[in-house]
């Protein structure tokens, strides 16, 4: 045991935040703290770090804060570098002052040993050597440079003044200092925010093998699964400990909830049975003792609370675009993006109903691409164009979170300011779809969390009913329930989506294609398009690393000129086969008009049969998704969802072929008549 908190209460201004909290950090545990936004996760971290105190510390309750000896706690607090003119290297080197002190003392002892053979000097020298090893004192420079570069900096950046970096970069520097400090207990609040995928993956490995304790708050489900071996959930001001990572916690929680529901129902039945008996015999003299006994039985029952289930039907409204776009939504050809200089050259094609995820290292231009497309910054070269009937809506999470509001303005007022013609019922309905229900609509804007601001911004943007959503990190600041709901909404959305994200779980659930920014594709302007799911993309990357992919312009990826894409591919996951119309009208094979008519009719019958089979499959997949036994089996749910998405896309392809075939059949029949 490193730290134990017992029966702690925390409240602010009469509002209870945490109640009867029992929390423990043991040995080298990697602990995840999960819960809805505003439940008190960050408050618990502050309690652990002694930034706040228990509200009941002076009461007679058995409460307290215990530590096993001296425990150094590292917590990334608000960033405030006192000297902005100091170089980054000198700022980071403050971490190593204990090492430098050891070095100075070792030099002194080395001088003393030249003129003396005092055994006490040798003993002290050996002790300091051991301390140096424990502090990683012989590798501090390599450690600093390695971690610094892992966070996307170049070694030359070490010589730059700290004040020359952006706020986000300064946050990274503070994070690097925390990692290099190597505290006994490391407290991390949303550590993956603003980190790119390679850095997140490296951080996972670093924390997993860290030889001390880590307590982290994160909404990144894949990160939690990779790092955590213990999960604490805060719900309704209380906390509960679960063994295992996030997926294990969700499975156990669902099992506990089902059991509690069953036990509650059985107890209620028993209470009703006893109550009915009492009511029936309460006026019968011979039953007085038995009646009293049953009343006592009810009174002495340990009451089982009715289980609470959060309403997970967030974003329940289905957003149908005002108009449909044509097939080609965005076509970019050698588009040069950047500010003062070109960051990347981008070529890609986005088609109707695709959900294209933009991923890759920071600083390559992912958000810059979105800003270029929506006209916030000019293109530096090349070209792009939107297709016909494209109406886009743009979401920028940074603007959503940092926007200044009238402190006295409510959520309701803020929405009505944007949409003054909405009736009150329409306003409440729109906000309710984004979890602002009941009294939540009267919440002051200054009281909103980052996740709540994101939800409100998305809600307002979607009221225009665009057919193209351009989203920059939409899940940042969102809690897990919000992410789950947003995934569902985007998968049901009938338009097209282009989004930047570092949330791998979110990408795997939503994306139908990947646009990768990296340093590995200089021939393609550092950007490569993969027309496949995220799981397939990862497999493709492994094949590329192994040298098994020779032609980058294969059917699975797009890196060259995409102005004339193929109309349709016969190769698909659901097995659509048979001749296309080009095959039907191949004069070398089908030269007789009567035979063409016959083949068109047969092909139409075949498509009708294929459509019926496909509809049966989608219905089956939807039933599987509703299976309560799979509620927490995320890998399986992901697999089923991917199959459902593929089958729905297959249906669209079949319908397009059917329509094309019907039109040709009608035309030929008219010509023959």
């Amino acid at each position: 045991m490193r730290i134990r908190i017992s029966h702690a209460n925390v409240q602010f201004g009469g509002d209870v935040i945490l109640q009867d909290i029992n929390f423990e950090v043991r040995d080298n545990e990697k602990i995840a703290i999960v819960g809805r936004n505003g439940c008190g996760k960050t408050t618990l971290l502050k309690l652990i770090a002694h930034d706040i105190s228990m509200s009941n510390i002076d009461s007679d309750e058995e409460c307290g804060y215990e530590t096993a000896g001296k425990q150094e706690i590292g917590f990334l607090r608000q960033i405030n570098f006192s000297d902005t003119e100091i170089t980054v290297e000198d700022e980071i080197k403050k971490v190593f002052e204990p090492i430098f002190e050891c070095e100075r003392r070792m030099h002194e002892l080395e001088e003393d040993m030249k003129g003396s053979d005092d055994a006490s000097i040798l003993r002290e020298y050996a002790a300091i050597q051991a301390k140096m090893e424990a502090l990683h004192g012989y590798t501090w420079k390599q450690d600093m440079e390695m971690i610094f570069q892992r966070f996307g900096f170049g070694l030359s950046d070490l010589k730059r003044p700290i004040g020359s970096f952006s706020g986000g970069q300064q946050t990274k520097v503070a994070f690097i200092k925390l990692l290099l400090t190597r505290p006994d207990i490391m407290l991390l609040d949303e550590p993956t925010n603003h980190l790119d995928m390679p850095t997140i993956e490296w951080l996972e490995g670093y924390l997993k093998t860290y030889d001390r304790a880590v307590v982290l708050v994160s909404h990144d489900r894949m990160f939690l699964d990779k790092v955590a071996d213990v999960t604490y959930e805060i719900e309704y001001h209380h906390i509960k400990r679960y063994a295992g990572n996030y997926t294990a916690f969700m499975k156990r929680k669902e099992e506990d909830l089902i059991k509690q529901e069953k036990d509650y129902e059985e107890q209620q039945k028993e209470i009703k049975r006893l109550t009915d008996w009492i009511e029936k015999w309460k006026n019968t003299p011979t039953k007085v003792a038995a009646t009293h006994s049953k009343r006592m039985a009810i009174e002495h029952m340990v009451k089982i609370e009715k289980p609470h289930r959060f309403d997970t039907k967030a974003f329940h409204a289905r957003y149908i675009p005002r108009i449909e776009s044509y097939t080609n939504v965005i076509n970019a050809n050698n588009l040069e993006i950047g500010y003062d200089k070109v960051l990347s050259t981008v070529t890609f094609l986005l088609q109707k109903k695709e959900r294209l995820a933009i991923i890759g290292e920071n600083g390559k231009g992912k958000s810059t691409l979105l800003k270029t497309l929506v006209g916030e910054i000019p293109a530096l070269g090349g070209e792009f164009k939107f297709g016909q009937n494209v109406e886009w809506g743009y979401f920028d999470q940074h603007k959503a979170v940092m926007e200044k509001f009238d402190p006295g303005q409510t959520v309701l007022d803020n929405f009505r300011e944007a949409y003054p013609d909405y009736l009150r019922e329409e306003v409440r309905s729109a906000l309710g779809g984004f979890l602002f229900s009941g009294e939540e609509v009267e919440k002051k804007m200054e009281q909103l969390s980052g996740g709540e601001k994101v939800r409100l911004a998305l809600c307002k943007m979607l009221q225009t009913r665009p057919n193209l959503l351009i989203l920059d990190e939409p899940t940042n600041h969102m809690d897990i329930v919000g992410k789950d709901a947003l995934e569902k909404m985007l998968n049901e959305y009938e338009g097209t989506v282009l989004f930047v994200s570092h949330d791998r779980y979110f990408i795997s659930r939503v994306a139908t294609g990947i646009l990768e920014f990296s340093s590995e594709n200089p021939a393609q302007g550092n950007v490569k398009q993969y027309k496949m799911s995220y799981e397939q993309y990862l497999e493709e990357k492994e094949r590329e690393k192994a040298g098994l992919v020779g032609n980058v312009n294969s059917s699975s990826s797009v890196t060259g000129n995409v102005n004339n894409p193929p109309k349709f591919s016969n190769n698909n996951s659901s097995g659509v086969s048979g001749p296309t119309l080009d095959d039907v009208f191949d004069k070398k094979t089908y030269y007789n008009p009567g035979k063409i008519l016959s083949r068109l009719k047969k092909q139409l019958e075949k498509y009708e049969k294929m459509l019926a089979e496909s509809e049966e499959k989608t219905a089956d997949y939807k039933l599987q998704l509703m299976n309560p036994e799979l509620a927490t089996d995320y890998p399986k749910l992901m697999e089923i969802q991917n199959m459902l998405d593929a089958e729905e896309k297959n249906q669209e392809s079949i319908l397009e072929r059917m329509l094309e075939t019907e039109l040709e059949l009608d035309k030929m029949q008219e010509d023959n008549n």
Side-chain angles (χ1 to χ4, degrees):
M1 188 272 291
R2 292 183 180 273
I3 285 178
R4 179 182 293 127
I5 297 173
S6 306
H7 304 290
N9 295 335
V10 178
Q11 58 185 58
F12 299 124
D15 294 329
V16 175
I17 309 300
L18 300 173
Q19 186 174 1
D20 196 29
I21 296 298
N22 293 291
F23 181 86
E24 192 172 52
V25 181
R26 304 172 188 168
D27 302 323
N28 304 328
E29 287 182 334
K30 309 300 181 289
I31 298 173
I33 302 173
V34 301
R36 300 290 300 275
N37 279 346
C39 71
K41 299 186 295 294
T42 301
T43 301
L44 179 57
L45 292 184
K46 290 179 178 179
L47 183 64
I48 299 167
H50 279 303
D51 287 356
I52 59 174
S53 301
M54 302 179 193
S55 302
N56 59 331
I57 195 67
D58 297 324
S59 74
D60 295 330
E61 298 177 52
E62 188 181 339
C63 61
Y65 186 113
E66 304 172 60
T67 62
K70 184 180 178 182
Q71 297 289 329
E72 185 181 355
I73 297 174
F75 187 22
L76 191 63
R77 297 173 173 85
Q78 185 175 358
I79 309 306
N80 184 22
F81 294 108
S82 57
D83 186 357
T84 57
E85 298 301 317
I86 192 174
T87 67
V88 174
E89 183 174 16
D90 288 338
E91 180 64 40
I92 294 175
K93 283 170 72 174
K94 292 177 182 179
V95 169
F96 304 115
E97 188 53 42
I99 293 173
F100 301 151
E101 181 60 37
C102 288
E103 287 179 340
R104 286 191 288 269
R105 182 57 182 158
M106 286 175 71
H107 290 317
E108 292 173 358
L109 291 171
E110 286 167 1
E111 290 297 319
D112 292 342
M113 283 188 288
K114 290 178 181 179
S116 173
D117 56 357
D118 189 341
S120 64
I121 298 176
L122 291 172
R123 285 195 298 272
E124 185 180 356
Y125 191 85
I128 293 175
Q129 279 187 316
K131 186 177 179 181
M132 281 283 286
E133 290 176 3
L135 292 171
H136 292 235
Y138 298 107
T139 59
W140 71 265
K141 188 174 178 62
Q142 299 96 304
D143 293 344
M144 178 183 71
E145 292 178 349
M146 182 272 291
I147 293 179
F148 191 69
Q149 292 180 94
R150 284 290 186 180
F151 276 76
F153 296 106
L155 290 180
S156 60
D157 291 327
L158 285 168
K159 305 300 181 183
R160 289 174 54 188
I162 191 74
S164 67
F165 290 90
S166 68
Q169 289 172 318
Q170 290 187 31
T171 300
K172 285 186 180 181
V173 172
F175 196 178
I176 291 167
K177 286 183 65 179
L178 175 62
L179 294 178
L180 291 170
T181 303
R182 296 181 57 79
D184 298 308
I185 303 172
M186 191 184 303
L187 307 180
L188 302 177
D189 194 354
E190 295 292 351
T192 63
N193 276 2
H194 313 298
L195 299 182
D196 57 23
M197 282 186 187
T199 308
I200 292 172
E201 290 168 356
W202 171 83
L203 185 61
E204 285 171 353
Y206 181 89
L207 294 178
K208 190 66 181 176
T209 57
Y210 186 61
D211 59 359
R212 302 174 193 186
V214 178
V215 182
L216 61 100
V217 170
S218 178
H219 295 134
D220 187 327
R221 292 155 291 185
M222 195 169 289
F223 185 77
L224 292 177
D225 268 350
K226 294 285 182 67
V227 175
D229 47 41
V230 175
T231 303
Y232 279 90
E233 183 192 29
I234 301 176
E235 191 175 38
Y236 303 107
H237 312 301
H238 294 277
I239 195 167
K240 187 174 180 180
R241 179 184 173 107
Y242 297 85
N245 61 11
Y246 179 76
T247 297
F249 144 72
M250 288 296 294
K251 183 179 180 183
R252 177 64 187 276
K253 182 185 177 183
E254 184 63 23
E255 291 171 352
D256 289 351
L257 197 59
I258 292 170
K259 185 178 183 305
Q260 188 181 350
E261 287 174 340
K262 183 180 178 182
D263 292 346
Y264 172 79
E265 290 172 2
E266 289 179 354
Q267 187 178 71
Q268 290 301 304
K269 287 179 183 177
E270 178 62 11
I271 291 172
K272 185 179 184 304
R273 185 186 70 80
L274 293 173
T275 303
D276 290 345
W277 195 98
I278 293 168
E279 191 63 30
K280 181 178 179 181
W281 300 105
K282 65 181 180 180
N283 296 320
T284 304
T286 58
K287 302 289 186 182
V288 171
T291 302
H292 178 73
S293 174
K294 286 176 171 50
R295 282 202 181 99
M296 292 297 292
I298 294 174
E299 290 175 6
H300 287 87
M301 276 185 186
V302 179
K303 299 296 189 296
I304 299 170
E305 290 187 11
K306 185 177 182 180
H308 297 281
R309 284 188 182 267
F310 278 116
D311 180 13
T312 57
K313 298 177 181 177
F315 307 112
H316 52 72
R318 191 161 183 159
Y319 290 90
I320 301 173
R322 191 183 68 84
I323 58 173
E324 275 197 54
S325 70
Y326 281 50
T327 300
N328 288 355
V329 176
I330 302 177
N331 195 341
N333 192 23
N334 294 321
L335 176 63
E336 296 179 341
I337 59 171
Y339 291 86
D340 300 326
K341 62 178 183 179
V342 176
L343 292 173
S344 291
T345 302
V346 188
T347 295
F348 75 98
L349 175 68
L350 179 63
Q351 295 185 301
K352 184 171 70 174
K353 295 190 177 183
E354 288 182 339
R355 300 187 294 274
L356 184 62
I358 304 173
I359 67 172
E361 303 167 12
N362 284 339
K364 300 298 182 184
K366 301 186 299 295
S367 295
T368 306
L369 171 60
L370 301 190
K371 287 179 169 59
T372 303
L373 295 174
V374 302
E376 288 194 359
I377 59 174
L380 300 181
E383 62 180 3
F384 76 92
K385 62 180 180 180
F386 289 101
Q388 289 183 291
N389 287 355
V390 172
E391 295 181 347
W392 53 262
Y394 174 53
F395 168 81
D396 182 342
Q397 63 90 17
H398 182 73
K399 287 183 178 179
V401 174
M402 301 306 295
E403 185 179 353
K404 301 297 182 184
F405 302 100
D406 177 355
Q409 192 180 50
T410 65
V411 171
L412 192 68
D413 295 334
N414 183 270
F415 185 94
R416 298 192 75 168
E417 187 176 73
Y419 297 96
D421 296 333
Y422 272 43
L423 298 174
R424 187 174 182 86
E425 291 75 16
E426 292 176 310
V427 174
R428 282 190 168 274
S429 175
L431 290 172
F434 283 78
L435 287 182
F436 295 105
S437 57
E439 296 180 356
E440 291 290 316
V441 300
E442 302 296 340
K443 200 169 183 178
K444 301 291 186 185
M445 293 298 296
E446 63 180 357
Q447 298 175 324
L448 297 186
S449 67
E452 289 171 323
K453 290 176 181 177
V454 166
R455 284 193 270 121
L456 179 58
L458 283 168
C459 178
K460 291 194 293 185
M461 185 265 285
L462 280 165
Q463 300 309 309
T464 62
R465 294 168 58 197
N467 52 37
L468 168 63
L469 300 181
I470 300 175
L471 311 175
D472 194 356
E473 295 284 3
T475 63
N476 263 11
H477 307 285
M478 269 193 183
D479 60 19
I480 292 171
V481 172
K483 288 183 180 184
D484 285 338
L486 182 59
E487 289 160 9
K488 184 175 183 295
M489 189 273 286
L490 291 177
N491 283 323
E492 292 179 352
Y493 175 63
E494 297 180 16
T496 309
V497 185
L498 179 67
F499 67 100
V500 172
S501 181
H502 293 130
D503 189 324
R504 293 159 296 170
Y505 192 91
F506 179 78
I507 294 168
S508 69
R509 293 290 300 273
V510 174
T512 60
I514 305 295
L515 190 65
E516 178 195 50
F517 282 64
S518 77
S519 307
E520 300 175 1
N521 309 306
Q524 292 83 39
N526 302 329
V527 180
K528 185 175 179 180
Q529 184 176 0
Y530 295 82
K531 288 185 170 290
M532 58 185 66
S533 70
Y534 184 63
E535 287 74 19
Q536 292 169 324
Y537 156 80
L538 293 176
E539 293 173 1
E540 184 78 0
K541 293 297 289 185
E542 288 299 317
R543 287 195 291 270
E544 289 178 5
K545 287 180 183 177
L548 300 176
V549 180
N551 180 13
V552 296
N553 289 316
S554 66
S555 61
S556 62
S557 63
V558 178
T559 54
N561 191 322
V562 293
N563 286 308
N564 297 301
K567 289 183 178 180
F568 190 85
S569 172
N570 278 331
N571 301 319
N572 60 75
S573 60
S574 300
V576 177
S577 59
T580 65
L581 287 185
D582 289 339
D583 296 327
V584 173
F585 289 103
D586 183 353
K587 296 296 189 289
K588 293 179 182 178
T589 309
Y590 308 110
Y591 56 89
N592 187 304
K595 286 186 177 182
I596 293 175
L597 274 172
S598 176
R599 290 195 175 267
L600 282 171
K601 289 176 181 178
K602 287 181 179 179
Q603 192 62 29
L604 191 59
E605 290 174 0
K606 183 176 179 180
Y607 288 150
E608 288 172 348
K609 184 179 178 182
M610 291 166 61
L611 184 62
E613 291 173 352
S614 182
E615 287 174 343
E616 286 182 9
K617 286 183 181 180
T618 56
D620 181 59
Y621 293 146
K622 288 177 180 179
L623 283 173
Q624 290 184 51
L625 289 173
M626 295 169 64
N627 186 350
E629 294 180 1
L630 299 177
T632 58
D633 189 350
Y634 291 110
K636 184 63 176 177
L637 288 173
M638 190 186 304
E639 180 187 345
I640 297 170
Q641 185 63 57
N642 289 336
M643 289 190 293
L644 175 60
D645 293 342
E647 200 59 52
E648 287 179 340
K649 195 169 184 179
N650 179 38
Q651 284 184 27
E652 293 174 10
S653 300
I654 296 170
L655 285 168
E656 287 178 5
R657 287 189 174 193
M658 284 180 68
L659 179 61
E660 191 178 0
T661 305
E662 286 173 347
L663 290 172
E664 287 296 335
L665 185 60
D666 291 343
K667 185 175 180 297
M668 287 202 69
Q669 287 175 334
E670 287 176 6
D671 292 343
N672 288 341
N673 292 334

